[in-house]
Amino acid sequence: SYTRNNDNKNIAATSNQVGFLKFKKNDLNGALASFNDAVNFSKKGGSDDFFLTDVWSNKAICFQNLGNEDEMMVCFKKALEYAKNSGRTNEAARIERIMAMIYFKNGDNYHAEVYCKSCIESAKSSGNLDDLQKCYKDYSAVLENGNDFIKALEYYEKHLNLRDSINYANRLAE
């Protein structure tokens, strides 16, 4: 019984899990309520940036499914902040890539480009080559959309080269 001991960290973790289960049952508002509890208990327990990265991402996905893109972006920005604070460059790259593609889809090439660039930096520093090649591909599409065809081609080639070397390394490993 976590509540008796004021074990806020465990209450936060449990709230996050309950939120996830509600989300799977498509109870999005219930899931959001649980994720909000997780945020509040985490703060009481001495804010855990690693944990809060995931909770804010979960909230973002709820809002995405509710069709509330503004709230979704607010939550992704919070998740990104926590990911960077906790040194989760891999997770930062994942979030930046999602945000870049949302801006791109909404015709905001400026912000799409900003988040593509930061995605590339995060993916490089995390050493996740698979994410990096995807970021290159996305950035190429954004550049092409902005009529920067030469740079778009350059990043598309970076994507292909990296993707091919990853595939080659995987075949060698087999």
Side-chain angles (χ1 to χ4, degrees), residues 15-25 31 34-35 58:
S15 299
N16 189 42
Q17 307 242 265
V18 169
F20 183 71
L21 293 172
K22 287 179 179 173
F23 177 81
K24 282 181 79 169
K25 290 191 170 140
S34 294
F35 293 139
N58 291 343

Side-chain angles (χ1 to χ4, degrees), residues 29-44:
N29 290 313
L32 274 173
S34 294
F35 293 139
N36 285 331
D37 287 345
V39 169
N40 294 332
F41 282 109
S42 178
K43 284 179 180 163
K44 283 182 195 166

Side-chain angles (χ1 to χ4, degrees), residues 11 25 31 51 68 80 89 91-92 100 117 121 130 141 158 162:
I11 298 170
K25 290 191 170 140
F51 172 73
N68 187 336
L80 182 56
T89 49
E91 192 59 18
K117 284 180 185 168
E121 289 314 303
D130 195 47
K158 283 184 180 197
L162 191 51

Side-chain angles (χ1 to χ4, degrees), residues 12-154:
T14 304
S15 299
N16 189 42
Q17 307 242 265
V18 169
F20 183 71
L21 293 172
K22 287 179 179 173
F23 177 81
K24 282 181 79 169
K25 290 191 170 140
N26 215 27
D27 173 10
L28 298 173
N29 290 313
L32 274 173
S34 294
F35 293 139
N36 285 331
D37 287 345
V39 169
N40 294 332
F41 282 109
S42 178
K43 284 179 180 163
K44 283 182 195 166
S47 211
D48 176 350
D49 290 350
F50 190 99
F51 172 73
L52 287 170
T53 303
D54 296 334
V55 179
W56 281 97
S57 279
N58 291 343
K59 284 183 63 168
I61 292 161
C62 280
F63 281 119
Q64 184 180 25
N65 281 275
L66 286 165
N68 187 336
E69 211 162 76
D70 291 341
E71 281 299 320
M72 173 192 71
M73 288 305 261
V74 168
C75 293
F76 271 136
K77 282 177 182 162
K78 291 285 271 187
L80 182 56
E81 207 178 295
Y82 286 117
K84 287 186 169 177
N85 289 348
S86 57
R88 294 177 72 184
T89 49
N90 205 15
E91 192 59 18
R94 193 184 72 81
I95 295 166
E96 286 160 339
R97 186 163 174 252
I98 291 168
M99 291 175 72
M101 288 300 94
I102 291 162
Y103 280 121
F104 183 59
K105 183 182 71 88
N106 291 340
D108 182 345
N109 232 55
Y110 173 78
H111 283 99
E113 194 166 331
V114 167
Y115 282 100
C116 278
K117 284 180 185 168
S118 52
C119 175
I120 288 168
E121 289 314 303
S122 296
K124 276 182 183 171
S125 62
S126 78
N128 187 326
L129 297 181
D130 195 47
D131 272 354
L132 183 57
Q133 62 96 10
K134 288 175 184 162
C135 294
Y136 283 155
K137 186 181 180 186
D138 293 342
Y139 191 34
S140 169
V142 171
L143 289 165
E144 187 182 338
N145 196 49
N147 293 328
D148 192 343
F149 298 112
I150 293 168
K151 208 166 163 191
L153 185 60
E154 180 194 324

